[in-house]
Amino acid sequence: MIEITPILDNDSHEPLYMQLTNYMKQEILSGNIKPYEKLPSKRKLSSHLSLSINTVQAAYDQLKAEGYVESKPRSGLFVTSFKDELLSHPIRDLPITVPVKEKETEAEIDFYSGHVDLAHFPYSTWKKLSVQSLQESEAALFYYGDPQGERSLREAIVHYLFESRGVKCKADQVIIGAGTQYIISLLCMLIGKDKTYAFENPGFLRTKAVFRDQGVKTRPIRLDKEGIDVMQLQASQASVVYVTPSHQFPLGMVMPINRRMELLKWAQEEEGYIIEDDYDSEYRYQGKPIPSLQGLDDHGRVIYLGTFSKALIPSIRISYMVLPPQLLQKYVDHFTIYQQTVSRLHQDTLFQFMREGHWQRHVNKMRTLYRKKHRTLIQAIKQYLGDHVTVVGEKAGLHIVLDVHLTWSEKELVDRAREQGIKVYPLSVHYDDDIGQHESKVLLGFGSLSEEEIEKGILTLKKAWLR
Ligand SMILES: Cc1ncc(COP(=O)(O)O)c(C=O)c1O
């Protein structure tokens, strides 16, 4: 008969009987307890391990239920015989390799462009509305919802888009989804993977990753000071193009009306599509807002993309697209089989937030706040970095690019800043050729930083770079 002496932990959250069960399973699978061996009687094992008989009984019942041991009438419990090949990899020896990403130490000041100001997020209002969404009368929200997203929220979005961006659409055309990347992967299926997709170079790394991972043909298109080069686009044989006309990511130019018209003409002639990513159009610091491309399009060639990640919070994961009629028909025919990816509770909370006017108030408040931060940033750059840098794309949004006229490479600029506790971001990762490698440009987001942090951050960059 076998002797077993497991180490059991009385303070563990795991009940003793489970600890004993797991120990015996491992011993059986690893071959330390052999097939056909008889287990000690409950009484014997309980006294050997100073456990109650009930604990041993529960462990034996579990082992029996899972087939690790079998009972023979009037003889006791015996270990099941496993085929040798099944035992060749004892469980405890299985190599468990969790890929570990090198964890960076926290920077004192992080100019990350994906962060927003959380200090001014209306927590108590959001909390009150979240509770409201959870109330009994809203119990229906616990079922699956409309695959396109809650109609009430889509209607609120339509209203907002018309007033603020000149987007002309109906709620039926709006499809909500958990993030721009998810929406773009859905779009690849909808438009077709046989098409060629063009995008801005440099352009948003995360969108380009989706195109590549969806296996579609891609064409990077260079930019000039007005945005994407339509001549190169025409020559590219692409029939779909992804652009960020209101605030090019990452270089920040705002596409003027002429270039917009050229782009629309291209799409019309090509019978192609423009994916217009209007990710942070709420914030503009110079000039009047330029209406969306979608609002200028009379031929159903523009797919408009928006997100609540910049103007509200990124963790809510609510983004959306507005489909032109032709694609909408295809979506309704083939894609409503995909369930909605955003929680109905969050959608409902956001709807209430918009209905009660909190959204517009929040956007207005943040506009003033970001304008102040933006001014502080530009002034600090002028004061501390002067002619050593040129600010690129400063008319809108929550980030700028610094073109640095020193001898440091991009990597050296990032590393030297990091040594001083400041995180700035390389631009080259957004390029599809090695042009970015030869430039000394870095990306600075300022959304989450206070004015004091912005000023201190730029002063520290002076120390790091001008030493
Ligand atoms: C160009 C661009 N599009 C979209 C987004 C937002 O993505 P999501 O809606 O997945 O949060 C960002 C955020 O940084 C962005 O830079």
Side-chain angles (χ1 to χ4, degrees):
M1 189 178 318
I2 54 167
E3 273 268 303
I4 56 167
T5 315
I7 298 168
L8 303 176
D9 178 3
N10 278 314
D11 298 325
S12 162
H13 293 303
E14 193 178 33
L16 285 171
Y17 90 90
M18 274 313 289
Q19 293 183 44
L20 181 59
T21 309
N22 289 338
Y23 172 81
M24 291 184 74
K25 280 193 214 171
Q26 274 194 1
E27 293 298 288
I28 292 169
L29 286 174
S30 64
N32 291 338
I33 300 179
K34 300 273 179 307
Y36 307 113
E37 283 209 67
K38 187 173 181 201
L39 299 194
S41 72
K42 284 176 283 182
R43 197 167 302 281
K44 217 168 173 178
L45 190 58
S46 67
S47 101
H48 174 57
L49 301 178
S50 300
L51 293 171
S52 77
I53 290 207
N54 284 345
T55 301
V56 178
Q57 172 79 56
Y60 279 9
D61 285 349
Q62 188 64 33
L63 288 169
K64 219 159 54 176
E66 292 187 39
Y68 285 83
V69 300
E70 292 161 348
S71 79
K72 287 197 183 149
R74 287 183 299 281
S75 309
L77 283 178
F78 292 83
V79 176
T80 308
S81 84
F82 291 93
K83 287 188 185 127
D84 266 1
E85 63 268 27
L86 296 180
L87 291 178
S88 56
H89 294 292
I91 277 185
R92 68 172 161 203
D93 294 340
L94 272 183
I96 299 172
T97 40
V98 183
V100 210
K101 269 201 165 170
E102 208 179 307
K103 212 165 179 242
E104 282 194 29
T105 47
E106 291 242 321
E108 195 193 336
I109 296 175
D110 188 348
F111 282 99
Y112 180 50
S113 66
H115 285 164
V116 298
D117 186 301
L118 293 183
H120 294 82
F121 179 73
Y123 288 98
S124 58
T125 306
W126 191 263
K127 190 170 158 189
K128 189 188 87 196
L129 298 177
S130 299
V131 172
Q132 228 157 284
S133 299
L134 273 169
Q135 270 172 355
E136 243 172 277
S137 59
E138 305 290 334
L141 290 180
F142 292 125
Y143 290 124
Y144 291 111
D146 187 323
Q148 282 188 231
E150 297 299 293
R151 175 163 278 277
S152 52
L153 176 60
R154 288 188 279 129
E155 275 166 0
I157 290 173
V158 167
H159 182 72
Y160 166 69
L161 287 182
F162 179 68
E163 298 219 318
S164 69
R165 306 293 305 125
V167 170
K168 292 175 281 185
C169 67
K170 297 200 169 70
D172 294 309
Q173 290 170 262
V174 179
I175 289 142
I176 290 168
T180 300
Q181 284 183 305
Y182 165 73
I183 286 180
I184 289 183
S185 59
L186 193 57
L187 267 179
C188 288
M189 293 193 276
L190 197 55
I191 300 173
K193 296 201 182 180
D194 53 336
K195 304 282 188 297
T196 300
Y197 290 68
F199 45 67
E200 300 158 320
N201 182 28
F204 189 37
L205 175 74
R206 292 182 196 278
T207 301
K208 293 190 283 187
V210 178
F211 288 137
R212 300 225 164 92
D213 293 340
Q214 288 291 327
V216 298
K217 284 190 280 305
T218 56
R219 296 279 183 275
I221 308 290
R222 67 175 168 246
L223 307 176
D224 59 25
K225 64 181 186 346
E226 300 194 328
I228 199 156
D229 182 334
V230 178
M231 290 244 279
Q232 200 191 5
L233 178 63
Q234 275 160 347
S236 72
Q237 299 192 327
S239 57
V240 186
V241 65
Y242 165 86
V243 282
T244 46
S246 296
H247 184 222
Q248 201 278 332
F249 190 92
L251 290 183
M253 64 277 272
V254 179
M255 190 183 284
I257 186 74
N258 272 334
R259 184 61 59 90
R260 286 173 191 243
M261 301 308 266
E262 279 174 39
L263 200 53
L264 285 168
K265 188 159 169 275
W266 166 84
Q268 196 188 330
E269 285 170 0
E270 201 64 43
E271 295 188 5
Y273 288 108
I274 301 168
I275 304 174
E276 175 184 23
D277 184 358
D278 207 16
Y279 64 107
D280 70 355
S281 57
E282 282 79 11
Y283 308 117
R284 262 187 77 77
Y285 311 112
Q286 284 175 33
K288 285 199 168 47
I290 297 180
S292 63
L293 270 173
Q294 198 272 4
L296 298 169
D297 169 31
D298 294 325
H299 297 88
R301 310 288 9 149
V302 177
I303 301 148
Y304 179 90
L305 261 54
T307 178
F308 287 90
S309 295
K310 294 283 187 186
L312 196 61
I313 37 170
S315 65
I316 185 176
R317 306 311 298 134
I318 302 187
S319 311
Y320 53 86
M321 61 179 162
V322 177
L323 289 179
Q326 222 177 333
L327 285 179
L328 180 64
Q329 190 58 52
K330 204 165 163 195
Y331 171 82
V332 171
D333 291 345
H334 300 288
F335 290 90
T336 49
I337 188 93
Y338 289 89
Q339 291 284 11
Q340 175 51 234
T341 49
V342 178
S343 155
R344 293 186 76 186
L345 294 169
H346 281 153
Q347 290 184 66
D348 186 66
T349 307
L350 180 55
F351 159 62
Q352 294 187 60
F353 191 77
M354 293 177 91
R355 181 184 54 185
E356 294 184 10
H358 302 296
W359 161 249
Q360 202 52 58
R361 272 195 290 284
H362 180 68
V363 170
N364 292 343
K365 181 174 76 180
M366 299 315 282
R367 231 177 237 143
T368 311
L369 198 84
Y370 287 136
R371 184 180 287 279
K372 280 172 74 185
K373 292 187 189 201
H374 181 265
R375 199 180 306 138
T376 304
L377 175 69
I378 301 295
Q379 270 168 7
I381 292 171
K382 223 188 226 167
Q383 182 177 350
Y384 299 123
L385 298 171
D387 292 343
H388 299 295
V389 300
T390 307
V391 180
V392 182
E394 76 282 20
K395 288 188 183 157
L398 300 183
H399 74 269
I400 54 139
V401 168
L402 273 189
D403 187 359
V404 185
H405 317 304
L406 293 162
T407 49
W408 311 117
S409 66
E410 175 194 89
K411 184 174 181 324
E412 285 164 336
L413 290 171
V414 172
D415 290 348
R416 292 179 78 87
R418 197 74 188 81
E419 281 162 21
Q420 302 287 327
I422 307 292
K423 233 171 152 185
V424 295
Y425 290 81
L427 208 72
S428 56
V429 295
H430 298 287
Y431 276 88
D432 283 83
D433 42 37
D434 57 3
I435 292 177
Q437 307 286 345
H438 306 304
E439 296 183 333
S440 294
K441 290 186 183 154
V442 289
L443 194 70
L444 268 68
F446 56 89
S448 66
L449 301 175
S450 66
E451 288 182 68
E452 293 72 39
E453 285 171 322
I454 291 172
E455 173 135 15
K456 185 170 173 205
I458 301 298
L459 177 60
T460 316
L461 285 182
K462 176 185 174 176
K463 283 191 209 140
W465 294 345
L466 298 186
R467 232 186 308 152

